[in-house]
Amino acid sequence: MVEGFKKLNKESAKVVKLIERYSKLKEKPDQNAYLMEKSLNFIFDIASNLPEFTLKNLLLDWINREKNEVEKAKEEFRFGLGEQIKALFQRENKVIRGQFPVLRVGFYTIVLNFEFGEATIFFGPEIEKIKSKVPLEPVAIHDAIEKFDSELKKIKFDANQFYQDLHRAYNNCLLLMGKTPGEKVLLVDVLNQYVILKQPSQFFIDPRKENYREFSRVTLAYLIYLFKKSGFERNGVQFYIANFDATTDRKKAIWIPDDEEGGGTYYSYISFSEK
């Protein structure tokens, strides 16, 4: 009997603390709707295991009433979040597309996880992850995308130089693979050779991390986008669209933007025609 009362006292103290925490969250239901839901679920789990007595029934009734309020708060939160994100990007004449939990703006996809209160940002479809665990706050989401986009668009690009470098990288692949000029080569393999070509001489003298010039897949995809946009692709370069199975294999395909409105294509192979 004594042990039973001790256990009841301990569980009751937990309930009191959780209700107090819930009450604080409820002061800002438009911001804390999903945290409120979690808190109610914790309270319910404890309450369900309490022995039958009047306070338990009152507690369960209260939880059910609060759940209805939380559902309304969640709906208002989702609507408010979407409207605020939309407004921030509209100031820069950028259009938000899609429906919760997946939104798209420019090159980027935003995946909202309301349960954990965070967002994940991707370049293109949901494969090239840029940043995860971004707070579900409109300004935080907007600023994360704008910062990355600004850095990406600072890249200096010369279409003729890129053409020459890409051609050399392609020829290196032909040599390594024993292929003849004009044959198709995996685009990812050619891009790997391109990265090697663009390393500073110091890297080959002392190939340490600090001497390595980094190229992410996103950077390489953006360079090809600029290249295709420049019209230099007409100089005998052919990009081959990936089949459906290859699109999920990062070794066989890479997503390249077609425009700044979110359109894009997966490519698997590249070839250069010999003049």
Side-chain angles (χ1 to χ4, degrees):
M1 184 177 65
V2 171
E3 289 303 314
F5 274 111
K6 284 182 178 179
K7 183 178 179 182
L8 178 60
N9 186 52
K10 184 179 179 181
E11 296 301 298
S12 298
K14 285 183 183 178
V15 170
V16 170
K17 286 183 179 179
L18 286 169
I19 291 175
E20 288 174 347
R21 180 175 181 271
Y22 176 84
S23 297
K24 289 181 180 178
L25 292 172
K26 196 175 177 180
E27 291 172 5
K28 296 181 179 179
D30 57 326
Q31 298 177 22
N32 299 323
Y34 286 86
L35 293 175
M36 288 164 62
E37 182 177 49
K38 280 187 177 181
S39 188
L40 277 181
N41 288 336
F42 286 139
I43 297 170
F44 177 78
D45 289 342
I46 296 172
S48 298
N49 293 317
L50 292 174
E52 294 297 327
F53 67 115
T54 304
L55 278 177
K56 174 182 178 178
N57 296 328
L58 290 173
L59 179 59
L60 292 174
D61 288 342
W62 173 80
I63 290 171
N64 287 330
R65 289 196 302 273
E66 289 299 313
K67 281 185 175 180
N68 291 330
E69 294 299 315
V70 167
E71 286 303 315
K72 293 177 185 176
K74 282 163 61 178
E75 187 176 341
E76 290 173 4
F77 173 74
R78 288 193 295 265
F79 178 78
L81 180 70
E83 289 300 301
Q84 290 174 63
I85 292 174
K86 181 179 177 181
L88 287 170
F89 283 105
Q90 276 184 337
R91 291 189 311 195
E92 294 142 7
N93 297 317
K94 295 179 180 177
V95 179
I96 290 281
R97 298 175 306 282
Q99 296 180 3
F100 286 145
V102 180
L103 302 175
R104 291 184 172 84
V105 54
F107 294 135
Y108 308 97
T109 298
I110 307 164
V111 178
L112 306 168
N113 188 323
F114 294 105
E115 183 180 355
F116 292 99
E118 61 188 37
T120 304
I121 299 169
F122 297 87
F123 181 78
E126 297 166 44
I127 292 181
E128 302 300 334
K129 187 184 295 183
I130 293 170
K131 192 170 184 180
S132 58
K133 299 187 183 298
V134 180
L136 276 190
E137 298 169 3
V139 173
I141 293 169
H142 170 270
D143 289 355
I145 290 176
E146 287 304 298
K147 181 180 178 183
F148 185 89
D149 193 61
S150 176
E151 290 299 316
L152 187 66
K153 289 176 180 175
K154 284 180 183 176
I155 294 173
K156 293 180 180 179
F157 180 76
D158 182 300
N160 181 49
Q161 185 61 55
F162 186 77
Y163 170 82
Q164 299 297 332
D165 291 336
L166 200 64
H167 199 174
R168 285 176 60 202
Y170 168 78
N171 286 335
N172 285 354
C173 284
L174 293 180
L175 185 63
L176 290 169
M177 299 172 185
K179 292 191 173 187
T180 58
E183 284 193 71
K184 293 192 300 183
V185 176
L186 278 172
L187 179 55
V188 172
D189 290 342
V190 173
L191 290 175
N192 287 337
Q193 285 297 315
Y194 171 84
V195 172
I196 292 172
L197 289 174
K198 300 304 288 184
Q199 294 308 312
S201 58
Q202 187 61 33
F203 175 77
F204 297 101
I205 297 170
D206 187 8
R208 290 184 296 169
K209 183 179 178 180
E210 50 266 38
N211 294 329
Y212 176 75
R213 183 184 175 192
E214 183 180 278
F215 287 84
S216 68
R217 280 174 67 93
V218 171
T219 299
L220 294 168
Y222 182 65
L223 289 172
I224 294 176
Y225 162 71
L226 294 176
F227 177 68
K228 290 172 71 65
K229 189 178 175 183
S230 72
F232 250 78
E233 183 185 359
R234 291 190 290 269
N235 293 334
V237 188
Q238 171 113 24
F239 292 94
Y240 298 84
I241 296 174
N243 61 38
F244 180 77
D245 291 338
T247 59
T248 57
D249 190 337
R250 290 161 59 86
K251 294 179 181 178
K252 294 182 179 178
I254 183 169
W255 184 85
I256 310 297
D258 291 332
D259 51 50
E260 292 203 30
E261 279 68 58
T265 305
Y266 282 94
Y267 292 98
S268 276
Y269 292 91
I270 183 175
S271 68
F272 283 75
S273 62
E274 297 304 311
K275 297 178 181 179

